[in-house]
Amino acid sequence: MSENVALIIRFHLMGGEDVSVISGDFDGEPEAVTAIARAVDERRSLVLMRARYDREADVNGIVINLANVVSARVSKTDSAEAGQYL
């Protein structure tokens, strides 16, 4: 990852499933939540350049279509209680 903070971003989709991404694209939780909220407000996809999908070993670029996302949680730890919701 980069020198930025590794954050776990969990997206809850309309279908009830959760998608988890580990991202090094942001300096902290507030910046990640702001970027996600901005993308939702502007009805565009979220682009992550330094991310790992579903705990894969490789770091990749990922484009996330936020049209079917109900909520998102951003946290430094992966637990049900941690993080901020949109």
Side-chain angles (χ1 to χ4, degrees), residues 24-51:
D25 288 88
F26 306 102
D27 292 328
E29 294 173 8
E31 292 84 4
V33 170
T34 299
I36 295 166
R38 186 178 309 123
V40 168
D41 286 346
E42 295 173 0
R43 297 178 186 219
R44 60 181 175 83
S45 296
L46 180 67
V47 178
L48 302 173
M49 297 306 298
R50 296 175 296 263

Side-chain angles (χ1 to χ4, degrees), residues 45-84:
S45 296
L46 180 67
V47 178
L48 302 173
M49 297 306 298
R50 296 175 296 263
R52 294 183 298 184
Y53 173 73
D54 199 25
R55 303 198 187 277
E56 291 178 347
D58 295 333
V59 175
N60 298 296
I62 297 175
V63 177
I64 301 168
N65 180 351
L66 297 173
N68 293 321
V69 172
V70 175
S71 64
R73 177 176 44 232
V74 178
S75 179
K76 292 179 186 173
T77 59
D78 194 11
S79 73
E81 296 80 31
Q84 302 176 26

